[in-house]
Amino acid sequence: MTNIVRLLPKLVVNGRFLQGFLDAPEPCCAVGLIEERKQVLPLLALRVGLALPDEVAGKGFEFGHAVLGDNDYELVQFIFEFRGFGTFHVLLNPRDLAVRDVLRRMVEQERYFILAIDPDHRVTSFRADAGDVLLTGLRDHLPRLLGSKTSGARYNEVLARLRQRPQPPGRVLAWACRGDPTGLDLQKDRLELSPAPSCQHDGAEADSPDSRDDNSSSEPSYQPIEMLPTVAAITAGELDSARELQQHLRLARGRPHVLGDADIERPIRLCENQLEMVPTYREQVARWHQGSPSRSQREALARLSKDVDQLEKVVQETREIAQEMASGTIDAILRMDDAELGMAGFEGQMQPPSGIPTSEELRNREAHGIAVMLDVVGGSLPTHADLLERLAVAAPHMALFKRLMDICGEEEVNALCGAHPGLYRFARTMEEAVAAIQSGAIHLPR
């Protein structure tokens, strides 16, 4: 993810492109170009269906990406995480001319603009350097992305899957102005977005009769009652996503060492941001109640209040689970000294993970962690005891040894044994046990 900060520049976009974007059903996202101080930069424009609260905009947000595909297609997923407000995704097909140009410029210029447009057409601008985090995937795949021939049918198929299960949990934005390269033309129909002197939002405000002034940056941006359906839909989506995140963490609760610190820190941060917004949600509901809502609106407010209460409860529980797991991540394990780590394995406090490690780095760290634990176990094997006595000590830790064999090749295991004498003794005991079984010296019950 890349941190985004807000600016107050004079910006120029294509007027027809912006109008087409504003006419599209929200929530949505569009790509194009933007000019700042005579420099043309790639642009991502967002309309999430709600005014971006000043306290949320003031924190900026995080921006990430994923390159999806196989031998037959390639797509780009962008992720926008507003702290304490929500996470939004958009899926783009690089076969589209505008998408292709934006991706190319991101890699070549290493910077980009994001415009977040409120329902009242107020525009908040963000500019960021792309940095190594963003560029790594795009740069590596750029030649293939620029030559993409991904079909619309395949795009729709992947989009349907993303809508069902976005990762990280969030809301999927529609891709607006799809197939329209107008946003790339800054020579015709130039529209200037200028900062509003009276606006404390630190963003750029569009020249529009519908625009508004904000006189305080500390007061949340509360919505009119007409936005109740949108707020209710977003809150319900946040609740669904929070429940899904909790389910994922519960499944991994017994084996946190398959995760790294970042895998746990992100859910904790997300939960804390969501909890920060709960008082604002409740205040919004209270303000709507004071405005003499209709009967149907009162019923909708009751459902919204229940969703906010449930959201708070689920998020608090999820944060507690994540905090509990934080002490058992692979990074936490490797921060232990060898004695602490070995004792944890010897006492059975740590069970082997399952599945394929999510990265080569995690695989290497997991292999090292298991080697250290089994080094202590192997060092405790009775020196002059017979095979059965040694097996009695080693038996509780055979699953760890099997896991090591599963994720490492023979040469790597031999290298680890050379570095850890106790691991070597453990492995030799396993070899002797196999030989004894094959020879009939040890009989296994049928």
Side-chain angles (χ1 to χ4, degrees):
M1 286 290 196
T2 302
N3 264 339
I4 312 295
V5 293
R6 295 179 300 157
L7 298 173
L8 277 171
K10 279 191 175 183
L11 306 172
V12 175
V13 297
N14 182 284
R16 178 183 164 191
F17 163 77
L18 183 61
Q19 188 59 56
F21 178 54
L22 294 176
D23 289 342
E26 57 187 15
C28 59
C29 174
V31 300
L33 300 179
I34 193 166
E35 182 181 301
E36 182 217 9
R37 300 183 182 96
K38 298 185 179 181
Q39 182 179 21
V40 177
L41 297 171
L43 167 68
L44 300 171
L46 306 176
R47 291 171 59 221
V48 300
L50 285 173
L52 191 64
D54 289 308
E55 66 275 17
V56 171
K59 297 177 183 177
F61 63 97
E62 291 187 340
F63 176 55
H65 85 287
V67 177
L68 312 178
D70 55 24
N71 293 332
D72 299 322
Y73 77 96
E74 43 279 318
L75 298 170
V76 175
Q77 175 187 354
F78 284 135
I79 307 157
F80 311 86
E81 181 185 344
F82 292 84
R83 301 180 184 94
F85 184 74
T87 299
F88 303 89
H89 304 255
V90 64
L91 186 68
L92 303 173
N93 187 345
R95 185 173 184 174
D96 181 88
L97 179 62
V99 173
R100 191 173 299 179
D101 194 45
V102 164
L103 295 178
R104 179 182 59 80
R105 287 176 179 272
M106 275 185 163
V107 172
E108 292 177 355
Q109 297 176 281
E110 299 189 2
R111 61 182 58 183
Y112 53 93
F113 253 94
I114 294 178
L115 298 183
I117 304 180
D118 290 351
D120 60 6
H121 294 181
R122 187 179 64 168
V123 182
T124 306
S125 62
F126 302 82
R127 188 186 71 183
D129 295 331
D132 292 338
V133 174
L134 177 65
L135 290 181
T136 299
L138 292 182
R139 183 187 289 115
D140 292 346
H141 295 280
L142 186 62
R144 183 178 176 188
L145 293 173
L146 295 182
S148 175
K149 297 182 180 179
T150 304
S151 67
R154 179 54 64 92
Y155 170 84
N156 291 332
E157 176 186 328
V158 178
L159 177 63
R161 293 201 300 266
L162 178 64
R163 290 188 183 280
Q164 290 178 350
R165 193 178 293 273
Q167 290 297 331
R171 193 172 188 188
V172 179
L173 306 175
W175 174 15
C177 304
R178 177 176 169 182
D180 183 0
T182 304
L184 303 179
D185 186 357
L186 297 183
Q187 301 305 312
K188 301 177 182 177
D189 198 7
R190 291 167 60 86
L191 175 66
E192 184 175 284
L193 309 177
S194 301
S198 61
C199 180
Q200 302 299 313
H201 196 63
D202 293 338
E205 188 163 311
D207 297 329
S208 166
D210 296 328
S211 62
R212 67 162 187 243
D213 292 339
D214 255 334
N215 296 319
S216 172
S217 60
S218 60
E219 182 71 11
S221 301
Y222 293 107
Q223 308 296 320
I225 191 68
E226 290 76 18
M227 294 300 295
L228 173 56
T230 302
V231 173
I234 289 180
T235 304
E238 287 288 304
L239 179 56
D240 289 342
S241 297
R243 285 171 171 157
E244 183 176 350
L245 175 60
Q246 184 179 111
Q247 182 181 8
H248 289 322
L249 288 179
R250 287 189 183 279
L251 291 174
R253 194 174 192 172
R255 45 192 185 94
H257 33 295
V258 303
L259 304 174
D261 279 352
D263 299 314
I264 292 296
E265 289 168 357
R266 181 179 175 80
I268 291 176
R269 185 174 70 249
L270 176 61
C271 289
E272 290 175 346
N273 290 339
Q274 287 177 316
L275 289 174
E276 285 181 7
M277 291 300 296
V278 167
T280 301
Y281 292 151
R282 290 200 170 113
E283 176 64 20
Q284 176 69 86
V285 172
R287 288 175 179 243
W288 279 337
H289 271 300
Q290 294 170 3
S292 301
S294 66
R295 179 177 177 179
S296 62
Q297 288 172 336
R298 289 196 302 272
E299 292 173 351
L301 286 171
R303 291 192 296 271
L304 177 57
S305 294
K306 184 181 293 186
D307 280 352
V308 171
D309 291 342
Q310 280 295 306
L311 178 64
E312 182 179 37
K313 180 175 182 290
V314 171
V315 169
Q316 285 177 338
E317 292 173 351
T318 302
R319 181 177 62 175
E320 291 172 3
I321 294 172
Q323 289 172 337
E324 170 194 313
M325 296 172 66
S327 61
T329 66
I330 187 65
D331 296 300
I333 290 171
L334 294 178
R335 283 192 292 270
M336 300 180 188
D337 60 37
D338 286 1
E340 292 174 318
L341 186 57
M343 188 57 64
F346 185 70
E347 294 177 349
Q349 297 174 8
M350 302 191 62
Q351 300 301 316
S354 60
I356 301 173
T358 56
S359 70
E360 182 65 13
E361 180 186 5
L362 281 180
R363 190 195 68 80
N364 288 332
R365 285 190 282 174
E366 184 184 336
H368 172 72
I370 294 175
V372 171
M373 286 187 273
L374 293 182
D375 184 47
V376 176
V377 175
S380 69
L381 295 177
T383 304
H384 301 293
D386 64 24
L387 177 58
L388 290 179
E389 290 179 279
R390 283 180 284 143
L391 281 178
V393 175
H397 313 285
M398 289 181 181
L400 275 175
F401 184 70
K402 181 180 184 303
R403 175 64 176 176
L404 185 65
M405 299 293 288
D406 287 343
I407 65 174
C408 295
E410 182 178 352
E411 291 185 4
E412 191 173 1
V413 172
N414 290 338
L416 289 170
C417 286
H420 301 279
L423 173 61
Y424 174 76
R425 291 192 64 203
F426 191 99
R428 286 291 300 163
T429 298
M430 296 298 101
E431 288 181 355
E432 291 177 35
V434 172
I437 293 171
Q438 290 175 342
S439 68
I442 294 179
H443 295 281
L444 296 180
R446 292 179 179 269

